[in-house]
Amino acid sequence: MNAPETITPTAASTAALPPGSDRPALRYQSGFGNQFETEAVPGALPKGRNSPQRAPLDLYPELLSGSAFTAPRVENRRTWLYRRQPSVVTGAFHAYEQPFWTSGAAGGVAAPPDPLRWHPFPMPGEAAAGASAQGVDFVDSIKTLVSNGDPDAQTGMAALIYAFNRPMTGRALMNADGEMLIVPQQGGLRLVTEMGLLDVVPGEIALIPRGVTFRVDAHDGAARGYICENYGAAFRLPELGPIGSNGLANPRDFLAPVAAHDAHADGPCEVIRKTGGALWRNQQSVTPFNVVAWHGNLTPLKYDTAHFMTIGSISFDHPDPSIFTVLTSPTDTHGTANCDFVIFPPRWLVQEDTFRPPWYHRNVMSEFMGLIHGQYDAKPEGFRPGGASLHNCLVPHGPDADAFEAASTRALTPQKLDHTLAFMFESRWRFRPSAWALQGGSLDTNYAACWSGLKDNFKAT
Ligand SMILES: O=C(O)Cc1cc(O)ccc1O
Ligand SMILES: [Fe+2]
């Protein structure tokens, strides 16, 4: 039996069934960065103070901070947890071997300045994934594709892939190196976190703050997806500038869990901690999922990209993709992100006298892309769901030859790009691919050929 079934969410969280599902819908609280309060047992939250001499129900108060104490109020994130035992009760940690989850630029290898693309990464059990009779769980399945920066310097990010078919029963993960933005591509996920439960399906994303302990299991046996491991400043909503006070990802569509403590899992738990690019494990008698109540604004979140209010050109020209930014991790250089999380959702194209797909370009920012489903208009064929591409700093790229031909000649009637969802992790820092990304068998060694049909059409008049 999967461990999540032993979790006891508050009664109201099992209220309704989502259409077409036999999975009881979880209850959430809405708002990005809101100050929430939630208790799985009534009366567990202290009133009017954070750490009374003796907390209600004899729980231990514990503070988890996501920003320096003195960070500006708008960026300040912290949550008070009221738990049966504090997180310090762990026992010793020992080195844990997970050679594929490498970190930072130092964990990568030199790559030529070619555009890179990967075929869909194998699901466990598929030939290229390697044979494993017992299967593999979320944490052991993680493989770094590309990475930059340095987790010790709290700068940069990694793009990871996961593909697993075993629950994390009796295990949990805590990442001190970075926040984890999980982008499911195939299969729904149940996330059990210290602060409660989240269900996410492809098309939705989950955001786990740095330092929050959690476990990931598949709804239906197996799942695959992408992760942005963000070593830098926490993701936040982008400024809207002249767009005004509404639009793009609206704050109320981000959902936080309600408190849920694992009443039955008092048994031992192995906690994997990632810190300084290395993984460590312990065996503790205390479940980390023992938070009975919490209040604060540092929380796991989920977001359904179907709620993204997409803005585009209603006159002419192809706008910069920054209009599709869902979340941004800024750096100290204004407007130059450690990472922008950008989506390419279903949308109408109506521009007149315009080449509508992305233009050919050389971008000083580095672009890692993935595809959740459907087709991406610049690469209708070779860029496939569950695969990826990398166009590093100033590497030329743009529509493949077939897409160029089609978009140069089509009638410019209003056109719906439908049944599609691509995304980009865009970073100011150049990415270095992992050795596995280059040699693991998924690299599309013929990628550059997609542009070889671009002829010299110049006609001197
Ligand atoms: O390269 C890509 O496909 C991503 C991208 C999309 C777009 O609409 C404009 C610029 C850009 O880099
Ligand atoms: Fe690009």
Side-chain angles (χ1 to χ4, degrees):
M1 186 55 56
N2 281 4
E5 257 108 84
T6 65
I7 293 281
T8 314
T10 51
S13 66
T14 53
L17 294 182
S21 152
D22 56 1
R23 191 176 310 284
L26 299 175
R27 188 161 66 86
Y28 300 108
Q29 328 179 65
S30 116
F32 191 95
N34 277 9
Q35 298 283 354
F36 298 111
E37 52 177 57
T38 167
E39 42 190 25
V41 176
L45 277 178
K47 296 266 182 283
R49 67 198 61 226
N50 295 321
S51 53
Q53 184 179 23
R54 237 172 120 172
L57 313 181
D58 278 330
L59 295 166
Y60 290 87
E62 180 182 290
L63 176 66
L64 176 65
S65 70
S67 54
F69 292 138
T70 46
R73 197 171 262 268
V74 67
E75 289 166 24
N76 214 300
R77 295 276 188 279
R78 62 90 185 87
T79 282
W80 279 95
L81 308 161
Y82 298 91
R83 55 196 322 155
R84 303 206 304 269
Q85 278 162 290
S87 301
V88 70
V89 185
T90 62
F93 280 84
H94 304 281
Y96 184 72
E97 273 298 300
Q98 211 286 35
F100 295 106
W101 191 354
T102 56
S103 297
V109 297
D114 296 309
L116 298 180
R117 185 162 73 187
W118 290 269
H119 301 300
F121 297 99
M123 293 295 289
E126 283 177 17
S132 163
Q134 305 85 18
V136 62
D137 72 5
F138 172 78
V139 63
D140 283 344
S141 81
I142 289 175
K143 295 186 169 74
T144 301
L145 295 173
V146 301
S147 183
N148 60 27
D150 175 1
D152 277 336
Q154 299 196 342
T155 182
M157 55 153 288
L160 319 172
I161 192 95
Y162 66 83
F164 67 94
N165 60 355
R166 217 182 66 190
M168 276 177 73
T169 309
R171 296 182 101 194
L173 170 66
M174 190 279 244
N175 190 345
D177 282 352
E179 172 182 45
M180 294 183 78
L181 171 66
I182 300 176
V183 186
Q185 186 274 321
Q186 185 178 314
L189 302 177
R190 162 64 59 93
L191 275 63
V192 178
T193 82
E194 290 178 273
M195 291 175 218
L197 311 182
L198 297 170
D199 278 330
V200 285
V201 296
E204 298 181 323
I205 57 165
L207 191 58
I208 307 292
R210 187 196 304 261
V212 168
T213 304
F214 68 108
R215 173 168 80 207
V216 181
D217 296 323
H219 284 166
D220 301 306
R224 175 174 64 186
Y226 309 86
I227 300 171
C228 173
E229 184 186 13
N230 173 21
Y231 315 131
F235 275 118
R236 67 217 46 197
L237 293 166
E239 295 299 334
L240 289 179
I243 294 173
S245 58
N246 300 287
L248 308 190
N250 287 304
R252 78 178 172 118
D253 295 319
F254 287 81
L255 302 177
V258 294
H261 70 108
D262 190 345
H264 307 286
D266 288 324
C269 184
E270 179 183 63
V271 177
I272 310 286
R273 276 200 195 167
K274 182 163 186 284
T275 183
L279 277 83
W280 304 82
R281 64 166 291 274
N282 78 349
Q283 192 68 39
Q284 58 184 64
S285 58
V286 175
T287 174
F289 303 115
N290 64 359
V291 175
V292 180
W294 57 266
H295 77 86
N297 63 355
L298 181 75
T299 73
L301 290 169
K302 65 173 252 171
Y303 173 72
D304 185 348
T305 63
H307 296 311
F308 189 80
M309 193 273 247
T310 311
I311 280 180
S313 169
I314 52 170
S315 55
F316 57 84
D317 274 354
H318 177 97
D320 296 340
S322 39
I323 52 170
F324 301 140
T325 303
V326 180
L327 293 166
T328 184
S329 158
T331 65
D332 294 344
T333 307
H334 187 68
T336 308
N338 180 62
C339 181
D340 280 334
F341 173 59
V342 174
I343 58 169
F344 300 91
R347 61 200 181 276
W348 282 93
L349 299 181
V350 299
Q351 306 100 304
E352 295 180 304
D353 187 17
T354 293
F355 181 80
R356 287 175 174 174
W359 3 254
Y360 294 99
H361 57 289
R362 293 176 293 159
N363 193 1
V364 73
M365 301 284 281
S366 292
E367 306 175 19
F368 172 89
M369 289 189 67
L371 186 61
I372 308 303
H373 65 261
Q375 286 182 323
Y376 182 61
D377 58 342
K379 311 273 168 35
E381 293 309 324
F383 182 44
R384 283 148 59 206
S389 70
L390 176 67
H391 304 118
N392 249 336
C393 175
L394 295 174
V395 169
H397 60 286
D400 63 27
D402 292 344
F404 176 79
E405 180 61 25
S408 306
T409 52
R410 66 168 295 134
L412 292 183
T413 51
Q415 176 195 3
K416 181 89 186 274
L417 292 182
D418 219 348
H419 312 294
T420 178
L421 183 62
F423 72 90
M424 176 159 68
F425 301 145
E426 180 172 322
S427 176
R428 68 178 296 185
W429 321 112
R430 187 181 295 106
F431 291 105
R432 281 163 66 90
S434 65
W436 180 82
L438 295 186
Q439 285 141 31
S442 298
L443 191 69
D444 177 354
T445 50
N446 205 28
Y447 180 28
C450 78
W451 292 289
S452 59
L454 292 171
K455 301 185 295 284
D456 181 350
N457 296 320
F458 180 60
K459 295 177 194 68
T461 47

